């Protein structure tokens, strides 16, 4: 018998308030109204519909301080950058390499929003030895935010598989900003949804036999989860509730998403104490199969390629498939992951 933890959708919905349900129902109606202009396409009506939904979501999020949406929190220039990145990720014509490139940009932007954009952050210095050595060896000095106190207690918690590369990107940013070159430990969780179910009766299955983590390494730490898509919030809540049941007391929980639904963000911040959701873009609704709309498809498949149905790749095979460029760029992160899996 497999060693599994299962969370059901009805348990997840229990965290929502009546106000939350009313807000979500209102967004659902607004999206249905906008969809009427998808076929045949009416660009002006679609733009009008999305503008209304954007203003409504921003208004709703103002009552949820633990939900940080990049396009709501930053200036006009930064919002334009986010729009372009998300547009490329959504586009069905964006190929695998482009998707990886824009995913990296997305997580670098999210990292800055969460850790490095405060004007009051104390400055640190990087002294770099350059290739110029005439008439003497040259050095350069660059100022960066001193955020050691925010990042040097972190553990990257990976909800396989689409979350693997985003987690490596965030860990690399932590290494680059740390004055000591801190390499985050990794905890790897095999979590999946039962795709035979609908959004209303979905089950979230944590397979402990195929997960790799050290409970003692997680207690009292700042736990970071980086998952491209947060549709329902169920996977994160399942993992964290399991850890809490094992006596883990996180110092904080940060959840980084390229795209999140409003419902997923609200569920997560309602269900988990001291948890902040950082998302580059907020989408209004899900369909009945719990896929984000308008969404961008299966982020895991677009990042990693599709598995053969009868031969799913394990974590080491996924790392190998990333290729030499990724292996070289994230070599410290890959070493930590391999050490966690192989012991």
């Amino acid at each position: 018998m497999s060693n599994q933890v299962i969370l059901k959708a009805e348990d997840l919905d229990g965290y929502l308030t009546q106000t939350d349900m009313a807000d979500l129902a209102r967004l659902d109606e607004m999206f249905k109204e906008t969809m009427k202009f998808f076929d045949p396409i009416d660009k002006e009506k679609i733009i009008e519909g999305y503008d209304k939904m954007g203003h409504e979501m921003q208004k709703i999020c103002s009552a949820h301080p633990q939900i940080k949406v990049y396009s709501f929190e930053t200036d006009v220039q930064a919002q334009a950058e986010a729009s372009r990145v998300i547009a490329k990720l959504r586009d069905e014509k964006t190929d695998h390499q482009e998707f990886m490139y824009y995913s990296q940009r997305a997580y670098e932007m999210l990292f800055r929003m969460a850790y490095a954009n405060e004007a009051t952050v104390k400055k640190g210095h990087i002294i770099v030895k350059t290739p110029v050595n005439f008439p003497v060896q040259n050095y350069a000095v660059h100022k960066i935010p001193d955020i050691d106190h925010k990042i040097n207690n972190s553990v990257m918690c990976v909800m396989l598989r689409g979350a693997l590369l985003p987690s490596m990107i965030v860990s690399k940013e932590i290494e680059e900003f740390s004055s000591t070159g801190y390499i985050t430990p990794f905890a790897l969780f095999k979590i999946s949804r039962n795709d035979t179910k609908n959004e209303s009766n979905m089950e979230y299955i944590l397979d402990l036999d195929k997960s790799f983590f050290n409970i003692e390494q997680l207690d009292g730490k700042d736990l970071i989860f980086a998952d491209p898509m947060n549709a329902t919030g169920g996977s994160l809540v399942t993992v964290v509730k399991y850890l809490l049941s094992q006596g883990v007391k996180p110092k904080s929980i940060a959840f980084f998403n390229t795209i999140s639904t409003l419902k997923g963000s609200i569920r997560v911040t309602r269900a988990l104490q001291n948890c902040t959701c950082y998302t580059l873009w907020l989408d209004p609704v899900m369909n009945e199969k719990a896929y984000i709309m308008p969404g961008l498809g299966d982020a895991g498949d677009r990042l990693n390629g599709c598995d053969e149905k009868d031969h799913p790749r394990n974590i080491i095979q996924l790392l190998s498939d990333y290729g030499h460029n990724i292996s070289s760029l994230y070599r410290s992160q890959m070493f930590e992951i391999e050490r966690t899996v192989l012991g």
Side-chain angles (χ1 to χ4, degrees), residues 273-324:
Q273 289 186 353
N274 203 19
C275 176
T276 304
C277 287
Y278 300 94
T279 185
L280 198 64
W281 207 265
L282 199 64
D283 271 3
V285 296
M286 291 174 278
N287 62 22
E288 66 179 20
K289 300 299 281 185
Y291 296 142
I292 298 174
M293 297 196 297
L296 52 73
D298 190 314
D301 286 348
R302 296 186 74 181
L303 274 172
N304 301 326
C306 299
D307 280 340
E308 295 180 26
K309 183 177 180 181
D310 297 325
H311 301 284
R313 290 164 291 174
N314 63 33
I315 189 73
I316 301 300
Q317 289 170 312
L318 277 176
L319 290 174
S320 175
D321 284 352
Y322 284 148
H324 173 73

Side-chain angles (χ1 to χ4, degrees), residues 25 164 194 249:
L164 180 58
N194 182 347
K249 297 179 180 178

Side-chain angles (χ1 to χ4, degrees), residues 127-315:
I127 300 177
V128 181
K129 183 179 180 180
T130 81
V132 178
N133 56 19
F134 183 84
V136 296
Q137 175 62 57
N138 274 230
Y139 293 85
V141 177
H142 296 277
K143 291 182 178 181
I144 64 168
D146 180 359
I147 56 173
D148 282 353
H149 64 289
K150 295 183 177 182
I151 59 178
N152 282 1
N153 188 51
S154 302
V155 177
M156 287 305 308
C157 299
V158 186
M159 298 188 293
L160 305 175
R161 60 186 236 130
L164 180 58
L165 185 57
S167 299
M168 292 165 66
I169 294 168
V170 175
S171 178
K172 179 71 171 180
E173 289 296 292
I174 289 172
E175 179 187 6
E176 293 296 320
F177 274 87
S178 169
S179 66
T180 60
Y182 176 68
I183 308 295
T184 61
F186 281 81
L188 306 158
F189 300 95
K190 176 62 174 173
I191 183 82
S192 60
R193 303 191 320 189
N194 182 347
D195 284 335
T196 66
K197 304 283 187 178
N198 290 327
E199 198 271 328
S200 60
N201 64 353
M202 186 64 69
E203 293 179 344
Y204 307 88
I205 305 162
L206 172 60
D207 189 338
L208 296 172
D209 292 331
K210 296 181 180 179
S211 299
F212 305 90
F213 57 90
N214 181 340
I215 284 286
E216 289 76 19
Q217 197 176 53
L218 300 170
D219 193 34
K221 300 296 184 178
D222 296 307
L223 305 185
I224 301 176
F225 295 79
D227 199 341
M229 310 292 282
N230 174 24
T232 66
S235 294
L236 177 70
V237 174
T238 302
V239 170
V240 174
K241 289 295 186 183
Y242 167 74
L243 294 177
L244 294 174
S245 75
Q246 300 304 299
V248 173
K249 297 179 180 178
K251 182 180 178 183
S252 69
I253 301 166
F255 193 24
F256 291 88
N257 312 119
T258 305
I259 294 177
S260 178
T261 64
L262 179 62
K263 186 175 187 178
S265 292
I266 292 175
R267 274 174 160 175
V268 164
T269 54
R270 292 283 193 214
L272 304 175
Q273 289 186 353
N274 203 19
C275 176
T276 304
C277 287
Y278 300 94
T279 185
L280 198 64
W281 207 265
L282 199 64
D283 271 3
V285 296
M286 291 174 278
N287 62 22
E288 66 179 20
K289 300 299 281 185
Y291 296 142
I292 298 174
M293 297 196 297
L296 52 73
D298 190 314
D301 286 348
R302 296 186 74 181
L303 274 172
N304 301 326
C306 299
D307 280 340
E308 295 180 26
K309 183 177 180 181
D310 297 325
H311 301 284
R313 290 164 291 174
N314 63 33
I315 189 73

Side-chain angles (χ1 to χ4, degrees), residues 16-86:
L16 298 176
T17 68
Q18 290 297 317
T19 299
D20 295 336
M21 299 296 284
D23 289 339
L24 295 168
R26 190 163 61 255
L27 260 297
D28 189 60
E29 287 303 314
M30 294 174 75
F31 190 76
K32 287 177 180 176
E33 184 64 27
T34 303
M35 279 199 300
K36 293 177 182 178
F37 305 104
F38 286 2
D39 187 19
I41 187 170
D42 185 331
K43 292 183 179 179
E44 289 188 4
K45 289 292 186 182
I46 292 173
I47 291 170
E48 180 184 330
Y50 274 105
D51 279 345
K52 289 180 179 178
M53 285 186 286
H55 289 304
E56 185 66 23
M57 287 190 288
Q58 189 166 11
K59 177 183 174 183
I60 293 168
C61 285
S62 67
H64 297 270
Q66 298 305 108
I67 299 175
K68 306 291 186 184
V69 183
Y70 190 93
S71 52
F72 298 163
E73 300 273 336
T74 53
D75 60 28
V76 174
Q77 288 78 13
Q79 292 165 18
E81 181 187 10
S83 289
R84 191 60 190 151
V85 168
I86 290 293

